[in-house]
Amino acid sequence: MLTSAPSPVILTIAGFDPSGGAGLIADIRTIVAFGCTPVAAITSLTLQNSTGVFGTIHQTPESLRAQILPVVKEFRIAAVKIGMLPTRESVLEVTRLLQETKILAPVVDPVLRSTSGHELMEPEARDVWLSELMPLARLITPNIPEAETLTGMSIANEPDMREAARKLREMGAPAVLIKGGHLQERSEVKDERSAMDVLDDHGNVLVFRGEWIDSPPVRGTGCMLSSAIAASLGLGMDLQDSVGAAKRFVAEAIRKCDQ
């Protein structure tokens, strides 16, 4: 019999950042902030600090299975967030585990490279991520550069974001959230900036607009957003409300960093 924790149990499968700015530590902080119980599996040990990534030590598929199976066999998992999957083998193993355990469709953040430009997903992993894992997701959450890489198109405005989301759905994603932060950073007109994200859920499109917070770059916002969405889904919110709650959480985190 599965164990029920006092609060919803959220599983995060992601890379480990020893400096705590991103990855599992950022996920766990976020999940706890939403009043949920975090459980986790490490896909890769990244060697980094706030200035950059200096290397990675990837977990084997056997290690991933050994971490995840005992957790899902014990706890009733309310939601899943998946982040860094660096190798083809890790993508395929996580896909197999999702199919075998029949846990809920995950929120999947396609972590392709670090803010400093270090590649975090091997090119061979990308194809199986798209063909095998993406169709199993409840939501994928690419930023602008990730969406451009995955679709092969350039994204310069809101219509492009909508088209990229539509294209990713046609490629197999049930729902797509295109995060527009990088697009706004490219804008040279400060007054025209806004925090805009585009959600396409099975063809139903909603644009989230919020205040653009002018602050120094904050690491781990993508990790925070995807884990906040997963936590909100685990609390019983629908997808639209989960995205809204997650955006407010990340905006507040950025605002605090600017103080």
Side-chain angles (χ1 to χ4, degrees):
M1 179 178 292
L2 295 173
T3 300
S4 294
S7 59
V9 177
I10 312 300
L11 169 62
T12 171
I13 302 169
F16 181 76
D17 169 8
S19 68
L24 283 176
I25 294 179
D27 292 344
I28 289 168
R29 278 200 306 265
T30 301
I31 292 165
V32 170
F34 275 77
C36 297
T37 299
V39 292
I42 296 174
T43 61
S44 179
L45 173 60
T46 66
L47 313 176
Q48 65 174 300
N49 58 23
S50 62
T51 66
V53 178
F54 310 106
T56 52
I57 303 171
H58 302 324
Q59 297 295 298
T60 63
E62 294 77 15
S63 170
L64 280 173
R65 176 170 288 268
Q67 292 178 74
I68 294 168
L69 271 184
V71 171
V72 300
K73 286 180 177 178
E74 178 176 1
F75 295 104
R76 191 180 306 280
I77 305 298
V80 182
K81 174 266 170 87
I82 298 174
M84 179 183 175
L85 292 174
T87 65
R88 182 178 186 274
E89 292 73 22
S90 64
V91 174
L92 290 173
E93 188 62 29
V94 168
T95 299
R96 281 191 289 266
L97 284 164
L98 290 174
Q99 293 168 330
E100 290 172 18
T101 58
K102 302 189 187 305
I103 54 179
L104 297 173
V107 176
V108 184
D109 188 19
V111 180
L112 304 185
R113 62 184 60 85
S114 68
T115 303
S116 60
H118 189 96
E119 295 293 330
L120 297 177
M121 181 186 283
E122 297 173 357
E124 311 83 61
R126 199 175 301 150
D127 288 343
V128 292
W129 188 96
L130 286 166
S131 64
E132 305 299 325
L133 179 60
M134 186 172 71
L136 301 180
R138 175 64 186 95
L139 174 74
I140 65 168
T141 61
N143 59 30
I144 294 291
E146 290 162 347
E148 289 178 327
T149 298
L150 294 173
T151 62
M153 61 180 286
S154 296
I155 301 173
N157 49 42
E158 181 186 325
D160 289 345
M161 292 172 71
R162 289 172 175 263
E163 175 61 19
R166 186 192 64 78
K167 189 168 184 178
L168 284 165
R169 278 202 315 100
E170 289 182 346
M171 294 166 68
V176 182
L177 179 70
I178 306 284
K179 301 175 293 191
H182 288 77
L183 182 63
Q184 312 314 314
E185 288 170 2
R186 297 173 187 175
S187 173
E188 297 178 357
V189 183
K190 185 175 180 180
D191 291 343
E192 292 182 0
R193 290 181 175 181
S194 66
M196 177 180 64
D197 300 331
V198 172
L199 173 65
D200 185 332
D201 183 12
H202 294 86
N204 298 312
V205 179
L206 179 65
V207 179
F208 291 84
R209 303 181 194 277
E211 173 193 1
W212 175 264
I213 302 167
D214 233 347
S215 74
V218 178
R219 294 172 60 228
T221 53
C223 303
M224 286 188 278
L225 184 75
S226 53
S227 54
I229 294 170
S232 298
L233 289 170
L235 289 166
M237 297 184 197
D238 64 21
L239 184 59
Q240 180 178 325
D241 288 343
S242 295
V243 171
K247 278 184 61 67
R248 290 189 294 273
F249 176 83
V250 173
E252 185 59 27
I254 294 172
R255 192 173 286 108
K256 287 179 179 177
C257 287
D258 194 35
Q259 292 175 353

